[in-house]
Amino acid sequence: MNKKIALITGGSRGLGKNTALRLAENGTDVIITYNSQKDKALEVVSLIEIMGHKASAIQLDVNDFKGLDSFVSNLTQLLNEKWNTSNFDFLINNAGIGATIPFMEASEEDFDRMMNIHFKSVYFLVQKTLPFINNNGRIINISSGTTRFCVPGYSIYASMKGAIETFTRYLAKEVGPRGITVNVLAPGPIETDFNGAAIRNNPQMKGFLSNSTALGRVGEANDIGGVVAFLCSKDGYWINGQRVEASGGISL
């Protein structure tokens, strides 16, 4: 049985890092992307190699739409050189940034940057890599709890994630004949360095969010990677075109 290969965008830290490690624990080889933190990405690669699996890191700036073709070329070259194949199995679109921008202060530049990173790059990265995703593969797009409940200053971010959720359903319909499933994973508040470590650095916010969550705390990166690993497992194959929220039960 051939080993599965996963491509995870934004895999050098936070949710992407945890996802990479959890997939590796399940026996999957992993390729992660990073924007600027090459050293941290290589640390993740080393951790996976210590587990006995193959791993690599490739630079990708998801805000640079014109760089996608070059990235895909580098990806296929890497797959051929390291795995003797042009194909992979799992695509996890995780790369992203956070920003708290009140609606009346939002600029066109803010809008375009968020759109490029959270929607446009995901849409076209899938389009450009789909020919290299094996039949019966998996595509998982990372969204956000903020598409269900409102957070002040997140009108741009949540709108782009809402677009991803709609795109996911359409994509699932398009690629279904190939046996590929497509789902959205929507984390709730997670204590990472996302959006300038807004939760970690604000005890009042963290307390409010914890009290709003049925399980009584905000999430950690380790709460998310295992859900991605499950969706990529043989037991997750019948979940398709769905929004799976992993939030500990916030704002119920």
Side-chain angles (χ1 to χ4, degrees):
M1 182 177 179
N2 291 333
K3 220 175 189 190
K4 303 294 186 184
I5 304 169
L7 170 63
I8 305 167
T9 64
S12 64
R13 58 192 175 89
L15 303 188
K17 174 182 177 179
N18 187 262
T19 295
L21 296 176
R22 295 299 293 273
L23 281 168
E25 287 174 5
N26 283 7
T28 302
D29 288 345
V30 178
I31 300 169
I32 63 172
T33 77
Y34 64 92
N35 181 17
S36 58
Q37 302 194 49
K38 183 176 181 179
D39 289 345
K40 288 188 176 181
L42 293 178
E43 287 176 10
V44 177
V45 168
S46 294
L47 290 171
I48 293 170
E49 290 176 339
I50 289 171
M51 296 183 198
H53 308 298
K54 291 182 180 179
S56 286
I58 312 179
Q59 199 275 337
L60 172 64
D61 180 0
V62 290
N63 190 39
D64 178 18
F65 176 71
K66 293 181 179 179
L68 285 181
D69 285 332
S70 175
F71 168 76
V72 173
S73 176
N74 292 336
L75 172 66
T76 54
Q77 181 179 348
L78 172 65
L79 284 165
N80 276 293
E81 290 176 354
K82 194 156 188 171
W83 282 272
N84 196 31
T85 180
S86 297
N87 294 0
F88 63 102
D89 302 279
F90 310 138
L91 172 60
I92 294 92
N93 287 301
N94 166 77
I97 61 166
T100 303
I101 308 170
F103 172 68
M104 289 303 293
E105 298 175 16
S107 67
E108 185 177 358
E109 182 180 7
D110 293 329
F111 187 97
D112 288 346
R113 186 169 185 237
M114 284 292 198
M115 181 179 67
N116 285 341
I117 291 172
H118 290 288
F119 183 44
K120 186 176 181 180
S121 70
V122 174
Y123 189 101
F124 286 102
L125 180 61
V126 173
Q127 185 189 74
K128 293 174 186 296
T129 58
L130 191 58
F132 305 105
I133 297 177
N134 284 320
N135 290 345
N136 304 310
R138 310 287 164 82
I139 299 171
I140 299 171
N141 299 320
I142 304 300
S143 180
S144 167
T146 58
T147 62
R148 179 173 66 83
F149 52 84
C150 297
V151 174
Y154 270 52
S155 63
I156 301 178
Y157 176 85
S159 294
M160 300 310 164
K161 292 301 191 181
I164 282 296
E165 294 185 5
T166 299
F167 167 57
T168 294
R169 294 195 298 273
Y170 274 82
L171 183 60
K173 193 81 168 178
E174 292 263 356
V175 302
R178 291 184 52 194
I180 298 172
T181 66
V182 190
N183 291 290
V184 159
L185 177 61
I190 305 290
E191 189 175 4
T192 66
D193 58 1
F194 183 75
N195 194 15
I199 295 173
R200 181 182 299 148
N201 293 336
N202 190 329
Q204 185 177 2
M205 178 191 293
K206 181 178 176 180
F208 171 78
L209 294 170
S210 297
N211 292 333
S212 302
T213 302
L215 293 181
R217 64 172 176 83
V218 297
E220 302 169 354
N222 198 50
D223 296 320
I224 303 301
V227 183
V228 178
F230 166 72
L231 291 172
C232 290
S233 74
K234 60 183 178 60
D235 293 323
Y237 80 98
W238 201 238
I239 300 172
N240 192 24
Q242 301 303 305
R243 178 187 186 276
V244 179
E245 182 171 313
S247 68
I250 192 171
S251 297
L252 296 178

